[in-house]
Amino acid sequence: MGIVSLGFAGFYSLNGQAMLAWAISLLLLNLWWSRRINRTLETSRHFTQRPAVYNELLLYAAVSGAIWGGTVIWLDSYLSDLIFYLCVGVVAIISVVTIAVSVVIRQAYLTQLVFSLGSIALWLAWHAEARPFNAGFAVLLVGLSVFLVIASDLSSRANG
């Protein structure tokens, strides 16, 4: 849903082909990753090669988070204030919804959180004067990130 939301947001403000290429690329990356995880589970590679699988999870979380954060930063110069802040909200919702993953591999979730919400918050703070609510959204994203870190810690303790 996040891909579709950001795709529609940018589709009318940017070159439609660029947004379509972005959406297809992200969908293919997610499809490839799902298949990779399925193969890992089918072959029990998560038991036999635990450190390698863990490192792959962290790398994917960093890449995925950087893509979401980078997309919002890229869209910043093309979108109106309202649509831009809606895109920031979509990425924040993605981070909230994926907290269930933190029970499985908390470090991967936190990596994605830093690379997505952290990079957007930094961008908004750095460009606080560019849009009317950038500073407020930067503070909001930092607060949300702190809340999600605490919530994932509590969730991990309850399940671990």
Side-chain angles (χ1 to χ4, degrees):
M1 293 304 295
I3 295 170
V4 172
S5 299
L6 264 63
F8 277 132
F11 193 78
Y12 295 104
S13 301
L14 286 151
N15 177 349
Q17 292 174 342
M19 288 310 296
L20 190 58
W22 168 84
I24 290 171
S25 299
L26 198 52
L27 284 170
L28 288 174
L29 175 68
N30 286 329
L31 178 65
W32 171 80
W33 182 250
S34 294
R35 293 185 48 80
R36 179 119 176 109
I37 288 298
N38 283 339
R39 278 194 304 263
T40 296
L41 294 173
E42 288 171 356
T43 61
S44 298
R45 197 170 142 250
H46 56 294
F47 292 123
T48 60
Q49 297 176 351
R50 191 176 202 97
V53 171
Y54 179 75
N55 289 334
E56 287 175 24
L57 284 170
L58 289 179
L59 179 63
Y60 176 76
V63 168
S64 177
I67 287 171
W68 285 111
T71 299
V72 170
I73 291 168
W74 172 54
L75 290 173
D76 181 27
S77 60
Y78 298 102
L79 302 178
S80 67
D81 291 347
L82 176 64
I83 302 299
F84 173 72
Y85 290 131
L86 285 173
C87 290
V88 171
V90 166
V91 174
I93 289 169
I94 290 168
S95 297
V96 171
V97 170
T98 57
I99 196 166
V101 175
S102 71
V103 173
V104 179
I105 305 283
R106 182 169 182 257
Q107 292 81 357
Y109 174 71
L110 296 178
T111 300
Q112 183 168 358
L113 194 66
V114 166
F115 277 85
S116 62
L117 293 187
S119 63
I120 295 170
L122 221 66
W123 177 264
L124 292 173
W126 187 263
H127 294 92
E129 74 291 339
R131 291 184 187 261
F133 302 109
N134 277 5
F137 267 86
V139 170
L140 182 68
L141 290 179
V142 169
L144 178 62
S145 296
V146 168
F147 171 77
L148 292 172
V149 167
I150 292 168
S152 76
D153 182 53
L154 294 173
S155 180
S156 288
R157 288 184 193 185
N159 293 312

